[in-house]
């Protein structure tokens, strides 16, 4: 959830509603309100609704909810005389820009614009790593030809709130923004910059703007630049900013973006078309609405929608609704227009009582036997980083931190990391974990979950046989017919590693002594024996 603080009287006066109505209307938009002072309220907004991160977006949505305006909010768009030349910037390859004319600021609206910018940095922008926004006073820009390029760190300019020229390097080292965001895009002694064609810096994305183009209460015209590592995210961010500013009276002008790939005008104000079906909506919501009623609810949610047949509806997704991905997102908006309080849950009847699966029963028994064999249960993270694992694994497209970038494909690496963190505890250390990993599989995604059990012993002296005896005891009590076969594993010592075989045919696990080079690389001072059992193959759940 994201919280914003807004001037409540602006919303109340524009919508001509009572103060008591505001909380109920915002609740229908999945938002909660609490007072800050006599004039301001704090609103908690869902992360999936960036269009509501300013009062102008909230007003637009409530106008639809109250049927004051229906369908997409339309904005006049003109082409400007300004250009943005995008050169090769390795760390942040994408940049676009737009112009807003005729805005009027007071202290509250200016604070809200800055707040909106920062909330977009946090949400879509992933703390400026994915997207960064620069907002400038257009009338303070002397050139109509803007350039996006890399510059050396000894380049000088006056940063925002500064009073003298300093180098980019000094900005990164001495300002709060520089310390927080300075390392995101610096590479080989260079950093991205938005500049006029005479060399004057407008901003150093994603760090700081120039003092030259500072926004003030007297500012009427804005130049907005958006840079980032994802073109879709950059486009969506500028669309959100310009459409929300248009709601407070701004006039949108497009900037011609000149790049090596192609030339285009931005903001793109991207529209997409989606089909939704009445029977799908009714099934998901447990209602029986005619197509015409569904169309009306979609128009209340500020979409343009038309019925194509008795069951099919065509919906135009406007540029400010960047959260809409599939039909179910539209169903959620329909539910909000109906009002959650008006949807009655149906009674769910069970035809029979559920039973634990075979894998669950084996996992429970395995856990009891493991404790009985002297092991202590641990729980490690499913997410890890690609420094710790090898082989085929699933990468996270937009990881929040560098420590958690992939999904584990084995329990062994995460267990070794656990032992590293606890190697100075009382010896011997005997641990086990039963948990899921993600491996290659015959599924729609190409990957599947697999349940595994890992066992490890760490001591000043420990051998293969000490762990083998305990694993032997556990599998024997599970009534598994098993044997061992010589094998190799990249983490284990050659000649001290074996596969565990079921019924002389199927591999159900591996056991061995961890290689000293692996221990040294991880910074572990003591020998470790480790085993991984494939629980799915014990239960027969091995699709």
């Amino acid at each position: 959830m994201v919280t914003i603080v807004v001037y409540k009287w602006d919303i109340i006066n524009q919508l001509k509603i009572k103060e008591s109505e505001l909380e109920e209307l915002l609740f229908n938009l999945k938002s909660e309100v609490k007072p800050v002072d006599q004039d301001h309220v704090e609103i908690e907004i869902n992360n999936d609704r960036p269009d509501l991160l300013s009062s102008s977006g909230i007003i637009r949505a409530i106008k639809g909810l109250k049927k004051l305006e229906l369908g997409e909010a339309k904005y006049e768009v003109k082409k400007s005389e300004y250009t943005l030349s995008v050169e090769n910037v390795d760390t942040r390859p994408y940049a676009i820009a737009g112009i807003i004319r005729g805005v009027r600021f007071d202290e509250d609206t200016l604070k809200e614009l800055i707040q909106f910018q920062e909330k977009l940095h946090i949400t879509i922008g992933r703390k400026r790593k994915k997207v960064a926004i620069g907002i400038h006073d257009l009338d303070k820009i002397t050139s109509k030809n803007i350039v996006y390029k890399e510059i050396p760190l000894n380049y000088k300019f006056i940063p925002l709130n500064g009073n003298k020229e300093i180098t980019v390097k000094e900005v990164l080292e001495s300002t709060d923004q520089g310390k927080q965001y300075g390392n995101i895009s610096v590479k080989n002694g260079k950093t991205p910059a938005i500049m006029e064609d005479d060399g004057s810096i407008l901003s150093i994305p994603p760090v700081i703007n120039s003092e030259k183009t500072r926004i003030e209460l007297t500012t009427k015209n804005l130049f907005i630049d958006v840079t980032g590592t994802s073109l879709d995210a950059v486009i969506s961010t500028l669309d959100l900013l310009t459409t929300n500013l248009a709601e407070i009276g701004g006039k949108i002008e497009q900037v011609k973006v000149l790049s090596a790939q192609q030339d285009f005008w931005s903001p793109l104000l991207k529209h997409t078309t989606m089909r939704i079906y009445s029977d799908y909506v009714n099934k998901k919501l447990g209602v029986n609405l005619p197509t015409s009623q569904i169309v009306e609810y979609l128009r209340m949610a500020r979409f343009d929608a038309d019925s194509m047949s008795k069951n099919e509806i065509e919906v135009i997704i406007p540029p400010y609704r960047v959260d809409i991905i599939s039909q179910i997102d539209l169903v959620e908006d329909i539910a909000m227009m109906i009002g959650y309080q008006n949807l009655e849950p149906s009674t769910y009847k069970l035809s029979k009582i559920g039973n634990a699966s075979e894998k669950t029963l084996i996992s429970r028994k395995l856990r009891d036997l493991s404790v009985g064999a002297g092991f202590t249960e641990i729980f490690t993270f499913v997410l890890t980083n690609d420094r710790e694992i090898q082989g085929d694994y699933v990468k996270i497209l937009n990881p929040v931190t560098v420590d958690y970038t992939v999904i584990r494909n084995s329990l062994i690496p995460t267990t070794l990391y656990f032992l590293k963190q606890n190697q100075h505890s009382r010896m011997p250390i005997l641990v086990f974990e039963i948990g899921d990993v993600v491996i290659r599989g015959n599924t729609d995604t190409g990957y599947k979950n697999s349940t595994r059990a890992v066992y490890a012993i760490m001591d000043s002296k420990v051998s293969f046989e000490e762990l083998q005896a305990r694993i032997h005891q556990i599998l024997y009590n599970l009534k598994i017919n098993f044997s061992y076969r010589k094998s190799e594993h990249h983490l284990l010592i050659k000649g001290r590693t074996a596969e565990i075989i079921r019924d002389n045919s199927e591999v159900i696990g591996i056991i061995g002594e961890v290689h000293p080079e692996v221990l040294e690389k991880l910074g572990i001072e003591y020998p470790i024996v480790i085993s991984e059992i494939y629980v799915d193959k014990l239960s027969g759940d091995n699709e």
Side-chain angles (χ1 to χ4, degrees), residues 51-68:
D51 59 305
L52 301 181
L53 293 176
S54 72
S55 58
S56 56
I58 291 170
I59 290 167
R60 177 176 55 210
I62 293 179
K63 281 180 178 177
L65 192 60
K66 288 183 65 63
K67 298 186 181 181
L68 300 175

Side-chain angles (χ1 to χ4, degrees), residues 425-443:
S425 300
R426 185 177 178 180
M427 299 288 180
I429 297 175
L430 293 85
V431 294
F432 82 97
E433 179 178 8
I434 300 173
D436 281 356
V437 301
V438 175
I439 59 173
R440 178 68 71 175
N442 185 24
T443 65

Side-chain angles (χ1 to χ4, degrees), residues 6 176 195 207 225 250 254 265 269 280 283 304 355 373 384 393 468 477:
V6 300
D176 292 339
M195 313 174 69
V207 182
D225 67 72
Q254 293 175 308
W265 292 90
L269 301 176
Y280 176 83
K283 181 180 179 181
D304 280 343
N355 297 313
T384 182
Y393 51 81
Q468 183 190 27
N477 281 286

Side-chain angles (χ1 to χ4, degrees), residues 174-358:
S174 63
T175 65
D176 292 339
Q177 297 97 318
K179 292 173 184 177
Q180 190 169 359
Y181 308 111
N183 292 325
I184 293 177
S185 296
V186 174
K187 185 178 180 181
N188 299 326
K190 292 186 176 182
T191 186
I194 300 285
M195 313 174 69
E196 296 185 63
D197 56 6
D198 65 359
S200 300
I201 291 180
L202 302 183
S203 67
I204 301 293
V207 182
I208 197 168
N209 282 1
S210 166
E211 176 68 15
K212 175 182 178 179
T213 55
R214 168 194 285 275
I215 303 295
E216 300 174 301
L217 290 175
T218 55
T219 298
K220 292 183 174 58
N221 304 310
L222 302 174
F223 180 89
I224 304 171
D225 67 72
V226 183
T227 63
T229 58
S230 163
L231 182 58
D232 285 341
V234 166
I235 290 170
S236 298
T237 301
L238 186 59
D239 282 354
L240 278 167
L241 271 165
T242 51
T243 51
N244 276 34
L245 284 167
E247 282 290 323
I248 61 172
K251 305 297 181 185
I252 302 173
E253 289 189 8
Q254 293 175 308
V255 172
K256 190 168 187 180
V257 179
L258 310 174
S259 68
Q261 290 75 31
Q262 62 176 332
D263 299 345
F264 59 93
W265 292 90
S266 70
L268 277 72
L269 301 176
K270 190 176 177 181
H271 291 74
T272 55
T273 302
M274 189 177 291
R275 298 293 174 97
I276 190 169
Y277 300 90
S278 302
D279 53 5
Y280 176 83
V281 174
N282 288 323
K283 181 180 179 181
K284 292 297 180 183
L285 295 182
V287 294
N288 188 24
L289 298 172
T291 300
S292 59
Q293 185 65 61
I294 295 173
V295 168
E296 183 179 356
Y297 284 133
L298 287 166
R299 288 176 58 75
M300 286 171 63
R302 306 312 304 267
F303 301 105
D304 280 343
D306 288 298
S307 57
M308 309 303 291
S309 67
K310 188 176 180 181
N311 186 45
E312 187 178 21
I313 301 167
E314 182 180 82
V315 185
I316 308 299
I317 312 301
Y320 48 83
R321 289 304 303 273
V322 300
D323 57 301
I324 303 298
I325 298 172
S326 64
Q327 281 191 69
I328 196 65
D329 298 311
L330 295 175
V331 172
E332 183 182 30
D333 269 69
I334 293 166
M336 288 192 288
M337 296 306 106
I338 295 171
Y340 290 117
Q341 70 278 9
N342 298 320
L343 293 171
E344 295 183 8
S346 56
T347 304
Y348 189 76
K349 295 180 179 178
L350 294 173
S351 58
K352 62 179 182 178
I353 298 172
N355 297 313
S357 67
E358 182 186 357

